[in-house]
Amino acid sequence: IHHHHYANKRYFSISRHLDPLAQHGTINKLEDDGGDIVVSDDDGAPPVTADDLEGEFWNEGGGGGGGGSDYSDIFGTGLDGDDDDKDDDELDAEAQADAAYQAKQAEINAALDKRTGRLWTDEWIITDEEWMSQETLDDIEEWKPSMATRKSIESVKVFEGGVPTLQQLSDIENLPPPLPPHPGNGDPTKHAKYRKRQLKKRLQTAIQLAIYNDLREILKMTSWDDKQEAVDGLFEVIEERVREREPILGKLPEFPNLVEGGLEDVLRMAQDRMRGAAKKVAKKEKGDDVAVAASEEDGSDDAAAQEEGEAKGTATAESLSKKEEEENVEEIIDVMGVNKEPPVPVFMDILAAARKQQQSTSEDDETPEQQQQSPPPLSKFFTQSNKDDVPNLIYPLNVHHNEGCGRMLEEWQLAANKETKRIMMRDATKQIASKIVEAANCCGGEVSEDKKGAARVFVAGQRGVGKTAALAGIVASARISGHIVVYLPDGDRLRKHGFYNEPCNFRKGLYNLPEIAKEFCEQLLTSHGDDLEAMPPVSKEAMKDFLSEDHIKRLFKRAYKEDDSVSEEDVAAMTELSLEKLLTVGIGSSALSSGCYCTVINTLMNQKEKPFTVVMDEFNVYYDHGHYFHMDYDEDVKKAIPLNRITIFKPFLDAMGLYPTEAGTEMTDDVAVPSSEAMMKWGSIIVGTSERRAVKQSFTRALTDAAHALSKGADHPMHVVDIQRFSNVEVQHILYNFEITGIGRLRFDRGDTALNPEEVEYLRLVSGGSGQQLMDACMVP
């Protein structure tokens, strides 16, 4: 700061502190000795007061600079030439200071522009042109599928048939491996081990790339001494080569030892592969010798033709051997799988499966072999969608007017592309399908009675990791596979909004929810009415476990009430009733709905003609504080009825057999059927927890611990599948899919987000690998 900035003081009510970024100018703020704020003038003259101006300038000088005044105007500009020269010098110095400041600011801005990151250039600025624009909503370009970039379209893999069967889902290969549990969830050791494995893999990959050419030359050597000398040479140069490829890892204190150990591991793996390749060649040569000996024993009359064939065969064998040798070398060297196709997730398309079923029913051109391999045809209901464009293949999952079911349906509603409804198939989804296929043997064509079984699967995970999507995908896949599926996606609503409950007079200690039972009957009849119609009827003896004699009589009368061809005598003589009739009566009668539904469920769980699968989402809410009370259970009406005493929930809760140490109600096995007896004879039951419902966390943890404890049992084990947050590859493909389907700001950005690695990393960071938060982050810039 130049000396002329410390001159005349003028007092103002302004900030007491200097602004370090303020421009150099003729006025600068200063603090005097008394602590008051002053402003400097440009010259070194004493301060000019109003009295001075009046006495010296107006009275003596008259404004013309005379009368002994040193001022030519009220701004204190001197009159003599020396002052003019001094002012010019000061102006030059001031201009230099301004230029220096502007240069510094330009340097800072240039440095900021070179920095990479999310927030440096993300400005919420509306330009004047945009303010003055006369465009309306109708002038905005309509979204179309061609707006998606070629990279996104080529990267996203969609299952060819739309939705795979459970067998096909369990056989999908090359899916991205799951991440370990987050260290903040209470078990950091697993994440630490994972990080060490990733570090080791990254280092070994860099080593393989660094010694690629050297290793090819070593494999061509025939002398063991030459090979040993070449390997010794690698140990001398490998550290610098890897440091160039991995400069960050090169700063580790143990980097030299890590590189040396990694090189030994890579060479050892290559040596093992070389031995395996040699064994394959020896085995092949042995087989060729046997074939030649057999042909010599058979003999041949046409010697010329034989010689010609041998010559052609020799030439072909030489060309093939060279190609195979080159492939073997690449396979031996690529111990870290650098040249292999990287694992990517696969999407199922619910609407594509429905369209394929419609086409298959209209075009019957498949061969008998293809018809045997293809899944059974879907009913017409499953090929349609409801009024909210939710496919019926995952019915009754729907958009509730007050309470939603996860964020998967919200994604479909926000998408511009309404011709596709996709669910990502991850490693966890494959695990669930594998457990069902292995235990139930339900997807291998004809299965003997003794091989038919059932599976129990418990799905856990943090909020937003895709549990609802995984369960919905299993429902769609099971229905494609020909299963009868009972799907309860909204457990929180079912455990609270049952309208009213009443004691089950026929089954002491249990309680009915008549209105919810009517809803269940309608859902099962709507989704699988065709399957139930083809199944054997239920006898009166089987009904007596759930209905009284009076209820059974009323049931048969209601079933044929509108059928004029059946008399009352015929109805009284009947001993059986179809499952379809049972559900139809249950839909229209509150008194019979619970008994009808329990009879149908009991029949399905004890038959082996068609696999029966139950999928329950938000399962942990059934173990929270109860919402159903009755004085028959507690005279003071203070204790809630445990849900395993509610007749419509009891079969499923008994089959799972989970009784945690801590729950909101007295959930015990006093009235429960042992899980080994309660399980369905052929099929599976899959349940998943929810982290977005108001359930005490200790209840959910206790339930998960109980599931893990049962997973160690030998008989009827519980299979626990922990769904982890999305990995980097999965986040990238989710963004590709968002761009293809037109969601949020990716709808019109034409690859600016999905193709920008820094933007992808930013979205992964702010979302924490959670699908819900990732979609929220994609809604706004």
Side-chain angles (χ1 to χ4, degrees), residues 76-235:
T77 302
L79 290 176
D80 59 30
D82 294 338
D83 290 340
D84 292 340
D85 294 338
K86 185 172 73 171
D87 289 344
D88 293 339
D89 294 339
E90 292 174 354
L91 289 175
D92 293 340
E94 182 180 328
Q96 293 177 2
D98 289 341
Y101 174 79
Q102 295 297 336
K104 184 65 176 178
Q105 290 298 106
E107 183 180 351
I108 294 174
N109 291 332
L112 293 180
D113 291 339
K114 290 181 180 179
R115 292 188 181 184
T116 58
R118 173 71 168 84
L119 300 178
W120 291 109
T121 57
D122 187 27
E123 300 176 353
W124 289 71
I125 295 177
I126 301 178
T127 62
D128 293 339
E129 292 77 5
E130 292 173 340
W131 277 117
M132 302 301 294
S133 175
Q134 300 297 321
E135 289 185 352
T136 62
L137 182 62
D138 296 334
D139 298 325
I140 298 177
E141 184 181 10
E142 289 289 337
W143 180 90
K144 47 185 179 292
S146 59
M147 288 183 174
T149 59
R150 179 175 58 86
K151 175 66 174 177
S152 297
I153 296 175
E154 293 178 353
S155 298
V156 172
K157 295 177 62 176
V158 181
F159 187 77
E160 184 177 358
V163 177
T165 63
L166 290 173
Q167 183 68 55
Q168 292 171 333
L169 180 55
S170 63
D171 293 337
I172 292 179
E173 298 179 351
N174 208 29
L175 292 176
L179 291 177
H182 194 278
N185 295 335
D187 190 6
T189 56
K190 294 182 178 179
H191 186 269
K193 293 179 180 178
Y194 169 80
R195 291 293 298 169
K196 289 181 179 179
R197 290 196 303 269
Q198 291 298 106
L199 179 64
K200 184 177 180 181
K201 181 179 179 181
R202 180 176 171 181
L203 194 62
Q204 290 178 349
T205 302
I207 292 172
Q208 176 189 317
L209 296 175
I211 66 172
Y212 175 80
N213 295 327
D214 302 88
L215 202 55
R216 289 183 64 91
E217 295 298 327
I218 292 174
L219 292 177
K220 294 178 181 179
M221 297 178 183
T222 57
S223 172
W224 179 260
D225 295 335
D226 294 340
K227 290 183 179 181
Q228 185 64 46
E229 184 178 354
V231 169
D232 294 340
L234 285 178
F235 277 92

Side-chain angles (χ1 to χ4, degrees), residues 366-612:
E366 293 183 346
T367 63
E369 292 78 8
Q370 291 175 340
Q371 291 178 358
Q372 186 176 2
Q373 296 177 359
S374 61
L378 290 174
S379 64
K380 184 179 179 181
F381 173 76
F382 288 139
T383 62
Q384 300 171 346
S385 300
N386 63 14
K387 62 179 181 178
D388 294 317
D389 291 331
V390 179
N392 288 340
L393 192 58
I394 54 175
Y395 175 84
L397 185 63
N398 199 4
V399 181
H400 195 270
H401 59 281
N402 289 328
E403 304 173 7
C405 299
R407 300 291 292 276
M408 182 186 67
L409 297 183
E410 183 180 358
E411 174 189 330
W412 290 350
Q413 288 188 312
L414 292 172
N417 190 350
K418 302 300 182 181
E419 299 300 320
T420 180
K421 307 291 184 184
R422 298 177 179 178
I423 300 176
M424 178 184 286
M425 294 183 289
R426 307 168 62 193
D427 185 77
T429 317
K430 177 182 176 180
Q431 289 183 44
I432 299 172
S434 300
K435 301 303 181 184
I436 298 173
V437 173
E438 291 173 4
N441 292 315
C442 55
C443 303
E446 296 294 332
V447 182
S448 60
E449 293 291 326
D450 59 331
K451 292 185 178 180
K452 294 179 179 179
R456 292 186 297 171
V457 183
F458 185 90
V459 180
Q462 296 299 311
R463 180 175 181 175
V465 296
K467 298 185 295 296
T468 297
L471 294 180
I474 292 296
V475 170
S477 183
R479 283 173 170 161
I480 288 289
S481 303
H483 290 218
I484 296 177
V485 180
V486 169
Y487 185 23
L488 307 180
D490 48 353
D492 191 58
R493 180 182 68 87
L494 298 176
R495 60 109 177 203
K496 292 191 296 188
H497 304 314
F499 299 98
Y500 68 95
N501 64 84
E502 60 184 13
C504 181
N505 296 326
F506 182 67
R507 305 170 69 188
K508 296 300 181 181
L510 302 183
Y511 300 83
N512 293 332
L513 292 177
E515 297 302 316
I516 296 294
K518 290 168 65 175
E519 179 184 329
F520 283 4
C521 290
E522 182 179 4
Q523 291 176 358
L524 186 55
L525 183 62
T526 301
S527 56
H528 292 282
D530 296 341
D531 297 321
L532 298 176
E533 186 177 2
M535 298 190 70
V538 184
S539 65
K540 284 186 177 180
E541 290 298 323
M543 298 179 192
K544 290 181 180 180
D545 293 335
F546 308 98
L547 296 164
S548 65
E549 291 286 351
D550 182 58
H551 283 165
I552 294 175
K553 291 179 181 179
R554 293 167 57 186
L555 172 63
F556 275 83
K557 288 182 180 180
R558 279 180 170 272
Y560 294 97
K561 182 179 180 180
E562 299 180 358
D563 192 348
D564 298 333
S565 62
V566 181
S567 63
E568 293 184 4
E569 292 77 10
D570 295 336
V571 173
M574 290 181 179
T575 59
E576 296 178 337
L577 200 63
S578 66
L579 297 179
E580 182 186 11
K581 290 284 187 181
L582 277 165
L583 293 177
T584 303
V585 173
I587 293 172
S589 173
S590 298
L592 300 175
S593 59
S594 296
C596 290
Y597 184 74
C598 291
T599 301
V600 173
I601 292 299
N602 181 70
T603 303
L604 292 174
M605 297 190 76
N606 288 280
Q607 54 82 36
K608 289 188 176 182
E609 295 183 7
K610 205 170 185 65
F612 177 53

